[in-house]
Amino acid sequence: MSVRLRLPANMRSLASDQSEIAIDGTTVGECLQNLAQQFPELESRLLDAEGNLQGFINVFVDNVSIRELRQLRTPVSEGSEVLIVAALAGG
Amino acid sequence: MNDSGLTEQERAIYQWQMWVPDFGESGQAKLKGSSVLVSRVGGVGGLVAYQLAAAGIGKLVVAHAGNVKPSDLNRQLLMTHAQIGKPRIESIERRLKELNPRLEVIAVGENVSPANAEDLVSQVDLVVDCAPLFPERFAMNDACVRQAKAMFECAMYELEAQITTLVPGKTPCLRCLYPEEPPTWTREFPVFGAVSGTVACMAAMETIKVIAGLGEPLLGKLLKFDLRDMSFHTLKISRRMDCGVCGADRRNDDRQY
Ligand SMILES: [Zn+2]
């Protein structure tokens, strides 16, 4: 299963300047783990020490927050768009 | 002066926007009778304040500390070259009054903090959050929740921006969206004025919509866009019942507000 994972602008430098990455996984959690394996510096930006989503990150699968679904256990399907939204404060 | 409380001069100045059928003179009168806090008043807030001044808002409370620096001038459009080294708030007040001398401006030469947020928010009907640091944003959010006032949340980074309209009791608050601040956020960030200005104009329009009861504001929706590839996402967001600020269940909350 391959999804389109979209990174926020402030994380792209940690992922070879890519904004969109094809990632394998059957759940959002798996996709994030696979992403972190490829780009280790992203791990602490996304997940805390216990493997939970950081409190300053929201993840959406096809525009629905995973908080409304099954959190990191939310299943993804082929071609799903996984959007990572970071807290921003530029004013 | 006519029934709506608008002067002949105001009717002439706002004629073209009063042609918007569900806005009209009554919408204009509502703007005239409304007050908004904008802080800070830089790349985003400067444009929010300028658009609201242009549209005929009655009163603006603007808060921004410090002196104008050369590096402000690529985006902080209320600052002028001649004002470099002098207080930003003077430039902000002067530019707003040049555009709209009828506008009541309360100019505060300091940034929002937990110490002054409650007082600043109490002076207005609505708040537009344009601060570059999370503690300032959280201070305005917390005061807005306590005083049950809507806050327009707009932020950007690089070519990306986000905006949503927060209404206490109805939509998530900022802490529902982000219970924690990102430790990697820094005071200085990459920015084009055209990006901060884009999200600012959207926030000004959201403010006008909520005041005049026009259209559909971004309630429970986060609009996220990236001008690098012009991708726009409208994302559904919801309250956290365990939110430490607005949550229904605050029994286990030991934080101080
Ligand atoms: Zn909340």
Side-chain angles (χ1 to χ4, degrees), chain B residues 215-232:
Chain B
E216 287 174 35
L218 286 164
L219 302 178
K221 291 178 195 166
L222 178 73
L223 174 65
K224 177 214 171 288
F225 58 89
D226 189 348
L227 298 186
R228 187 175 284 275
D229 62 359
M230 287 296 179
S231 60
F232 284 67

Side-chain angles (χ1 to χ4, degrees), chain A residues 6 12 55 67-68 81 86 89-90, chain B residues 131-132 156 179 226 231 233 238:
Chain A
R6 206 180 151 84
R12 291 172 192 168
R67 272 174 40 214
E68 312 256 318
E81 183 186 51
Chain B
M156 54 74 54
D226 189 348
S231 60
H233 290 80
S238 53

Side-chain angles (χ1 to χ4, degrees), chain B:
Chain B
M1 208 81 91
N2 65 351
D3 288 350
S4 62
L6 300 175
T7 63
E8 276 313 306
Q9 187 192 45
E10 286 165 340
R11 284 160 57 90
I13 290 172
Y14 304 115
Q15 183 180 30
W16 288 32
Q17 70 194 35
M18 292 194 298
W19 288 339
V20 175
D22 48 352
F23 182 73
E25 282 200 25
S26 69
Q28 194 62 50
K30 285 177 189 159
L31 277 190
K32 184 179 180 180
S34 297
S35 54
V36 178
L37 166 66
V38 180
S39 187
R40 298 184 196 184
V41 201
V44 175
L47 274 280
V48 172
Y50 208 47
Q51 288 289 2
L52 291 177
I57 196 84
K59 171 181 162 184
L60 284 178
V61 177
V62 284
H64 199 134
N67 294 337
V68 178
K69 292 194 283 192
S71 62
D72 294 346
L73 298 177
N74 81 318
R75 66 193 183 284
Q76 302 194 15
L77 299 191
L78 295 184
M79 314 304 173
T80 52
H81 190 88
Q83 189 74 13
I84 289 173
K86 298 179 199 139
R88 292 184 177 112
I89 197 68
E90 288 177 13
S91 202
I92 291 163
E93 183 175 20
R94 177 172 46 79
R95 294 288 306 279
L96 291 172
K97 297 286 277 187
E98 276 171 6
L99 177 66
N100 181 350
R102 303 164 305 284
L103 174 68
E104 183 189 351
V105 180
I106 309 291
V108 181
E110 51 190 80
N111 298 324
V112 171
S113 71
N116 64 14
E118 208 67 54
D119 175 51
L120 289 171
V121 170
S122 74
Q123 298 179 44
V124 295
D125 305 318
L126 303 153
V127 174
V128 190
D129 178 12
C130 310
L133 293 169
F134 284 94
E136 287 179 44
R137 288 182 179 260
F138 286 141
M140 279 187 271
N141 175 70
D142 297 1
C144 282
V145 169
R146 272 192 296 263
Q147 298 183 29
K149 289 177 182 172
M151 181 167 99
F152 305 92
E153 171 65 20
C154 45
M156 54 74 54
Y157 178 93
E158 213 221 40
L159 271 67
E160 206 171 59
Q162 299 167 8
I163 175 169
T164 184
T165 292
L166 307 173
V167 179
K170 212 175 195 178
T171 73
C173 79
L174 188 58
R175 296 270 196 175
C176 291
L177 205 51
Y178 311 123
E180 297 165 61
E181 64 176 282
T184 53
W185 184 262
T186 53
R187 163 72 193 82
E188 296 178 340
F189 47 88
V191 47
F192 283 109
V195 180
S196 48
T198 299
V199 76
C201 289
M202 289 179 173
M205 198 61 234
E206 280 290 285
T207 309
I208 293 167
K209 282 160 59 182
V210 167
I211 290 170
L214 187 69
E216 287 174 35
L218 286 164
L219 302 178
K221 291 178 195 166
L222 178 73
L223 174 65
K224 177 214 171 288
F225 58 89
D226 189 348
L227 298 186
R228 187 175 284 275
D229 62 359
M230 287 296 179
S231 60
F232 284 67
H233 290 80
T234 304
L235 305 162
K236 187 174 173 292
I237 53 173
S238 53
R239 294 179 71 184
R240 289 180 198 254
M241 285 307 129
D242 61 350
C243 172
V245 176
C246 79
D249 180 10
R250 291 181 54 182
R251 278 166 299 183
N252 299 325
D253 183 32
D254 55 7
R255 281 184 285 176
Q256 299 293 311
Y257 295 100

